[in-house]
């Protein structure tokens, strides 16, 4: 018998305010047509003044708990993937813990930018397999609207705010690839690429900073590295692209998503796409897409899912799981 970290609940939350592409035409030399054609994005949600990352995370966590039919006290650990924490410290995860009324277990943040959710899932899987926790809430939550330079048309039209959550539980499997749960993970980073995607401020420099990006360079790395990490994760699970029911990719740009699917030899019919409605929500994009994919009736129990993401660092990775 083998223990598997298995998804037993999923949920998401999007802030109320929806911003259509056309709204940027009022302040920037851009157009709805350009944004759609170059990124696939049509609209995104922005958090209200005073609405923080942990607020979004709590809504998503409650939705995942409701989906599982469990209470906050049933959770042993909370991992929040975010690069836009409410405060420098404490972690957003401990704030979520308090807001859910949980007084036991442990909670911490993970920061791997757009790859954050894949890193968080991998860490939560390790906590479960090592017996540290039986049930782990894994949340991706971001308020990237707070770090946009609203005069930079090359970045500010691409990002949005939101949160998604999975509840993982230790379950016994037969130890085969037919088991439900996380079957393999693959993480990578290469800090030499810092300058193509970063925020030009931080605590140690006494500033907040804005997101800076060399879009073409990021694009070039993204397709190649995402296809490669997805293949490696599949190999670790002793599977191939033919076994995949759904790719649930980080939702940054429809052209990156399509390019990666093509490299893996898969049709877009096997890809869950939400970028048109959410923009790039960084660490929140994969759990948001999983939740929306389930709501749409795309993702069903037993489906084989590959999630893959890349972001600042560069940091990238993939997780193979059976839903
Ligand atoms: N509206 C109109 N024109 C624009 C805009 C805009 N919002 N933004 C840039 N342009 C202009 C540029 O200034 C440039 O003009 P120029 O030729 O006069 O210099 C022209 O459009 C073409 O710009 P490119 O950078 O060549 O456009 P490209 O086709 O590469 O698309 C984009 C840009 C969408 C940023 C693309 O490179 C991309 O998606 N890169 C990946 C970046 C990404 O998704 N990052 C997210 C974080 S990392 C991650 O999550 C994977």
């Amino acid at each position: 018998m083998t223990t598997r970290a298995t998804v037993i609940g999923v949920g998401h939350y999007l802030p109320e305010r929806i911003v259509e592409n056309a709204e940027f035409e009022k302040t920037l030399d851009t157009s709805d047509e350009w944004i759609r054609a170059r990124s696939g994005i049509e609209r995104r949600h922005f958090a209200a003044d005073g609405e923080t990352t942990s607020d979004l995370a709590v809504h998503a966590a409650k939705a995942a708990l409701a989906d599982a039919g469990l209470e906050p006290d049933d959770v042993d650990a909370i991992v929040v993937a975010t690069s836009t924490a409410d405060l420098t410290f404490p972690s957003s995860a401990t704030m979520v813990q308090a807001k859910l009324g949980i007084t036991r277990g442990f909670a911490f943040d993970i920061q791997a930018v757009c790859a954050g959710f894949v890193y968080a899932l991998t860490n939560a899987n390790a906590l479960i397999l090592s017996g540290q926790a039986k049930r782990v809430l894994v949340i991706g939550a971001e308020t990237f609207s707070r770090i946009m330079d609203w005069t930079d048309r090359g970045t500010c039209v691409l990002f949005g705010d939101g949160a998604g959550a999975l509840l993982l539980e230790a379950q016994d499997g037969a130890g085969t690839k037919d088991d439900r749960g996380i079957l393999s993970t693959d993480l990578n980073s290469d800090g030499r690429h810092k300058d193509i995607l970063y925020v030009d401020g931080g605590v140690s420099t006494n500033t907040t900073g804005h997101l800076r990006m060399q879009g073409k360079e990021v694009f070039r790395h993204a397709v190649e590295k995402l296809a490669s990490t997805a293949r490696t994760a599949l190999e670790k699970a002793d599977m191939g692209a033919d076994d995949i029911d759904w790719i649930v990719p980080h939702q940054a740009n429809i052209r990156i998503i399509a390019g990666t699917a093509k490299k893996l030899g898969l049709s877009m019919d096997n890809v869950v796409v939400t970028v048109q409605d959410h923009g790039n929500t960084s660490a929140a994009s994969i759990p948001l897409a999983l939740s929306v994919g389930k709501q749409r009736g795309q993702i069903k129990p037993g489906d084989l899912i590959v999630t893959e993401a890349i972001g600042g660092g560069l940091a990238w990775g993939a997780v193979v799981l059976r839903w």
Side-chain angles (χ1 to χ4, degrees):
M1 210 124 69
T2 304
T3 302
R4 300 281 194 197
T6 306
V7 178
I8 58 164
V10 60
H12 72 270
Y13 177 76
L14 290 156
E16 240 170 71
R17 184 177 165 217
I18 298 172
V19 175
E20 301 285 342
N21 289 346
E23 213 165 308
F24 291 101
E25 294 174 1
K26 297 177 194 160
T27 51
L28 291 169
D29 180 13
T30 190
S31 64
D32 173 41
E33 193 189 3
W34 191 95
I35 300 167
R36 276 176 201 248
R38 306 313 292 161
S39 72
I41 297 165
E42 297 172 22
R43 60 194 63 82
R44 73 289 289 140
H45 293 243
F46 285 151
D49 286 345
E51 192 175 31
T52 64
T53 292
S54 71
D55 293 331
L56 309 188
V58 166
H59 284 295
K62 285 182 177 168
L65 282 165
D67 187 44
L70 292 176
E71 299 298 325
D73 271 346
D74 297 320
V75 173
D76 302 317
I78 301 172
V79 184
V80 174
T82 188
S83 299
T84 47
D86 300 27
L87 300 176
T88 301
F89 72 77
S91 66
S92 296
T94 52
M95 294 186 188
V96 171
Q97 183 188 28
K99 288 178 188 178
L100 289 174
I102 302 173
T103 53
R104 61 173 203 91
F106 59 97
F108 63 95
D109 287 359
I110 279 189
Q111 207 271 57
V113 205
C114 299
F117 196 75
V118 164
Y119 272 65
L121 265 188
T122 301
N123 278 276
N125 183 48
L127 289 172
I128 285 176
L129 298 192
S130 64
Q132 305 276 314
K134 188 164 181 284
R135 291 199 193 97
V136 185
L137 253 178
V138 190
I139 306 169
E142 302 276 19
T143 47
F144 261 52
S145 61
R146 311 297 194 226
I147 51 167
M148 290 297 112
D149 173 351
W150 299 110
T151 65
D152 178 8
R153 66 178 182 171
T155 54
C156 73
V157 302
L158 300 175
F159 292 88
D161 301 336
L166 295 187
L167 184 57
L168 295 180
E169 183 181 72
Q171 290 192 355
D172 290 333
T176 73
K177 52 192 178 185
D178 293 329
D179 287 349
R180 288 189 62 217
I182 293 177
L183 300 177
S184 71
T185 62
D186 183 58
L187 297 184
N188 311 269
S189 67
D190 185 344
R192 290 175 301 172
H193 302 299
K194 166 182 139 296
D195 292 339
I196 64 173
L197 180 55
Y198 66 105
V199 170
D200 60 0
V203 184
S204 187
T205 50
N206 290 315
T207 53
T208 304
H210 295 112
L211 184 144
R212 305 294 174 202
M213 178 172 73
Q214 296 171 31
K216 261 197 197 320
E217 273 301 293
V218 174
F219 196 107
R220 195 173 61 77
H221 283 284
V223 174
E224 179 225 322
K225 289 182 165 51
L226 289 171
S228 158
T229 187
R231 272 200 207 100
T232 304
L234 280 165
E235 275 165 26
K236 289 182 184 177
D238 192 24
M239 284 193 246
D242 289 352
D243 295 304
I244 298 175
D245 292 302
W246 294 104
I247 302 184
V248 184
H250 170 48
Q251 310 280 322
N253 183 313
I254 190 67
R255 293 185 298 138
I256 295 176
I257 294 171
T260 307
K262 193 172 168 200
K263 252 187 184 293
L264 291 169
L266 288 166
S267 125
M268 286 300 282
D269 293 345
N270 298 103
V271 186
V272 175
V273 180
T274 57
V275 70
Q276 68 280 8
D277 295 325
H278 304 162
N280 182 347
T281 57
S282 190
S285 90
I286 287 175
L288 263 165
L290 286 166
S291 182
V292 169
K294 184 189 168 190
Q295 274 184 353
R296 285 180 187 156
Q298 292 175 304
I299 297 173
K300 298 191 185 65
D303 281 354
L304 190 84
I305 294 174
V306 175
T307 63
E308 27 91 341
I310 185 166
L314 294 174
W316 68 101
V319 172
V320 176
L321 66 96
R322 194 173 295 287
W323 194 254

